[in-house]
Amino acid sequence: MRRVVVTGMGIVCPLGVGVEHVWKRLINGESGITAIQSFDTTELAAKIAGQVPVGSAAEGGLDLPEWIPVKEIKKMDRFIHHGMVAAAQAMADSGYVPETEDEKCRAGVMIGSGIGGLQTIYETAVMVHEGRAKRVSPFFIPAALINLISGQVSIRYGLKGPNHSAVTACATGVHAIGDASRLIAYGDADVMVAGGAEAAVNPLGIAGFCASRALSTGFNDRPAEGSRPWDKDRDGFVMGEGSGVVVLEEYEHAKARGAKIYAEIGGYGMSGDAHHITAPAEHHDGAFRAMKAAFKNGGLSPEAVDYINAHGTSTPLGDDLELEAVENMFGDHAKKVAMSSTKSAVGHLLGAAGAVETIFSILAIRDNVAPPTLNLHAPSRESVVNRVPLTAQERKIDVALSNSFGFGGTNASIIFKRVA
Amino acid sequence: MSEIADKVKKIVVEHLGVDEAKVTPEASFIDDLGADSLDTVELVMAFEEAFGVEIPEDAAEKITTVKDAIDYIEKQKAE
């Protein structure tokens, strides 16, 4: 099987736009969770979210015309905007520009989304409901379809290889990156632009997750404290938005062009719960099996892992079950590993979560630092696992594992390792 | 230039993101102004909305230049 490495990264998230800017804020223990201002939350129990800050790229904010031609902006839902901006950063960072027809055909895209163009669907449905079906935009469908993020990125950069999208709720980001790495490993492509994009911080998205009792509602007056994985006072996840995109590349291909190599894929595993539409199974058996499959795939043992970026959403049930699965998976090594949930700072980016957390895991390897779990003052469950409470920890990190689990009982784990 | 022509021009500039100077009466939406078939559908919808007229599909298909649009709308408005 061919080796796959990461040579470019891009982030749009509640801590801002740009990998270095976001990473610095994350390590400093800053939070991107704020009160929702962009729409009326009177009728909604959850009134906080992680929203992408508005502003110029120079100040780490999002100003769309800096990234996307004005004429194109209105043809895309906000989730595609996020994905395009993250992809632009990742492509520039990798420095890869396919020139020949063959190079173009060997480079593909697999960026997914959990939900896709929800706001666009909402606004268009209102028009139809009001008897204005004739006024529906010809761009409605291509603005809202999930795989159009992969389509738009391919058009922008002339990438004619595999064009695909993962859609596995909150596991989307890891599935997209993991599956894309397999396309390279199997020889279907030499380069894949992969990740997740989401924009569900809107009335329909918040109302829907409120109804499924998944969101935090007890910290509306203290937004930055709302996302508190493993803490005894946690009461649900805080919705985030944005995108993470990486450029994956076959190892020899990257070496031959002298590309900067961040890390190598060290294993990827998947599982299904076959249990419940939203709740994880007992002992988080699905998480355990996804991690086990990743180790088997990469030929690594759990003892190799230094850092885990947990799914850790801050929901009462899920956090402790994932912790239990990690303890079961790592055995004696559990006391030596550091595990944090960066959702404590950016919220839960749903289909983009696994992609953004992949980037955080890779940066943890690059800089030998574990980002913190904010707001973890008193864990509901004691454990030997160091959950990096409140402040970042400097430590040797050569191998990192990232978990993502989604509604429907879908689980994915991916491992990254330092390239010596 | 008539009021209608002025308004048509404005809509074209806004929707296709092109320089005002390029929007001459003879300019073809697709060949000269970079529109694709979906852009032209949206343009016709924008004309309908702005001028309060109905442009049926067979008529819309014949509107390929800025002048076509102005002529059609002027004729509708005169009736």
Side-chain angles (χ1 to χ4, degrees):
Chain A
M1 219 47 73
R2 308 199 306 164
R3 295 169 68 184
V4 181
V5 295
V6 177
T7 58
M9 307 195 289
I11 286 190
V12 175
C13 80
L15 283 174
V17 174
V19 169
E20 300 306 330
H21 173 75
V22 167
W23 180 237
K24 192 172 157 215
R25 294 193 67 196
L26 185 73
I27 294 305
N28 282 345
E30 295 177 43
S31 168
I33 312 297
T34 54
I36 295 170
Q37 305 283 0
S38 54
F39 55 90
D40 182 12
T41 57
T42 310
E43 295 293 316
L44 300 166
K47 301 177 194 299
I48 59 174
Q51 298 159 98
V52 175
V54 177
S56 70
E59 55 196 18
L62 182 62
D63 179 21
L64 288 176
E66 287 187 327
W67 301 91
I68 306 170
V70 174
K71 174 175 169 269
E72 303 299 319
I73 290 174
K74 66 175 185 334
K75 301 179 183 176
M76 305 166 180
D77 182 82
R78 185 169 166 82
F79 91 95
I80 297 182
H81 296 153
H82 291 155
M84 291 296 282
V85 175
Q89 296 168 44
M91 286 300 287
D93 187 33
S94 79
Y96 186 57
V97 182
E99 275 157 13
T100 66
E101 186 64 12
D102 186 52
E103 283 170 352
K104 288 176 182 171
C105 293
R106 299 288 301 162
V109 189
M110 173 130 43
I111 304 174
S113 180
I115 300 187
L118 195 61
Q119 179 66 16
T120 298
I121 293 170
Y122 169 73
E123 288 168 4
T124 309
V126 168
M127 287 178 70
V128 173
H129 178 74
E130 290 172 345
R132 293 186 291 143
K134 275 189 179 170
R135 297 262 82 88
V136 170
S137 165
F139 300 109
F140 162 53
I141 298 292
L145 288 183
I146 284 179
N147 72 298
L148 259 286
I149 174 56
S150 291
Q152 290 280 13
V153 167
S154 74
I155 293 164
R156 169 70 68 87
Y157 300 101
L159 310 177
K160 297 184 174 180
N163 200 272
H164 205 332
S165 280
V167 181
T168 51
C170 306
T172 296
V174 168
H175 274 130
I177 292 168
D179 288 357
S181 76
R182 295 245 164 120
L183 293 180
I184 295 173
Y186 273 73
D188 296 283
D190 294 325
V191 176
M192 288 294 295
V193 180
E198 205 73 80
V201 180
N202 54 51
L204 196 51
I206 298 287
F209 280 100
C210 266
S212 60
R213 300 292 183 270
L215 295 182
S216 168
T217 56
F219 295 87
N220 289 334
D221 55 339
R222 292 169 285 160
E225 296 174 33
S227 186
R228 42 197 316 120
W230 300 297
D231 188 80
K232 65 177 176 51
D233 294 330
R234 71 184 183 277
D235 69 342
F237 79 77
V238 176
M239 180 105 76
E241 62 171 4
S243 174
V245 172
V246 296
V247 174
L248 300 172
E249 198 165 340
E250 193 270 325
Y251 176 63
E252 297 297 339
H253 187 276
K255 237 175 47 173
R257 69 179 186 92
K260 157 184 81 238
I261 295 175
Y262 285 104
E264 179 174 358
I265 306 273
Y268 166 53
M270 297 158 276
S271 75
D273 286 348
H275 171 68
H276 186 268
I277 51 172
T278 60
E282 232 183 310
H283 313 299
H284 221 319
D285 170 59
F288 181 89
R289 288 182 292 108
M291 288 188 279
K292 194 175 169 188
F295 286 122
K296 180 167 181 266
N297 169 248
L300 287 173
S301 74
E303 286 73 38
V305 173
D306 305 299
Y307 171 67
I308 301 168
N309 190 296
H311 185 57
T313 59
S314 184
T315 52
L317 193 60
D319 291 9
D320 285 346
L321 286 176
E322 181 183 11
L323 178 60
E324 187 187 344
V326 164
E327 289 169 348
N328 291 340
M329 184 76 240
F330 286 79
D332 269 358
H333 186 66
K335 59 181 181 288
K336 292 185 189 156
V337 80
M339 171 163 83
S340 63
S341 170
T342 46
K343 288 189 179 77
S344 60
V346 296
H348 188 354
L349 274 66
L350 310 181
V356 163
E357 290 158 18
T358 276
I359 294 171
F360 293 157
S361 301
I362 291 167
L363 292 169
I365 293 171
R366 185 191 72 177
D367 293 350
N368 288 303
V369 57
T373 304
L374 304 185
N375 303 311
L376 177 53
H377 297 285
S380 57
R381 184 179 185 279
E382 289 304 326
S383 172
V384 296
V385 178
N386 165 11
R387 282 166 279 174
V388 200
L390 309 177
T391 50
Q393 294 176 10
E394 282 184 28
R395 52 188 293 134
K396 185 85 183 109
I397 300 175
D398 289 325
V399 177
L401 175 143
S402 186
N403 282 333
S404 282
F405 317 129
F407 277 5
T410 176
N411 313 293
S413 297
I414 194 161
I415 302 166
F416 296 92
K417 58 185 185 186
R418 186 186 301 280
V419 176
Chain B
M1 199 183 277
S2 75
E3 202 179 303
I4 286 173
D6 216 28
K7 210 161 153 186
V8 164
K9 203 169 158 180
K10 258 195 195 137
I11 291 168
V12 172
V13 167
E14 191 184 309
H15 281 263
L16 301 182
V18 289
D19 271 356
E20 213 177 314
K22 279 190 165 179
V23 189
T24 58
E26 296 74 29
S28 153
F29 299 128
I30 289 178
D31 296 333
D32 302 315
L33 301 176
D36 62 21
S37 60
L38 292 182
D39 287 319
T40 60
V41 173
E42 199 195 33
L43 259 186
V44 167
M45 285 171 58
F47 295 146
E48 288 182 323
E49 185 110 0
F51 296 101
V53 296
E54 283 268 346
I55 307 178
E57 209 160 313
D58 52 345
E61 277 168 19
K62 290 182 191 119
I63 300 177
T64 62
T65 66
V66 176
K67 187 173 181 299
D68 291 343
I70 296 167
D71 288 351
Y72 185 88
I73 294 159
E74 280 181 341
K75 197 169 148 233
Q76 293 291 301
K77 284 297 198 188
E79 277 170 11

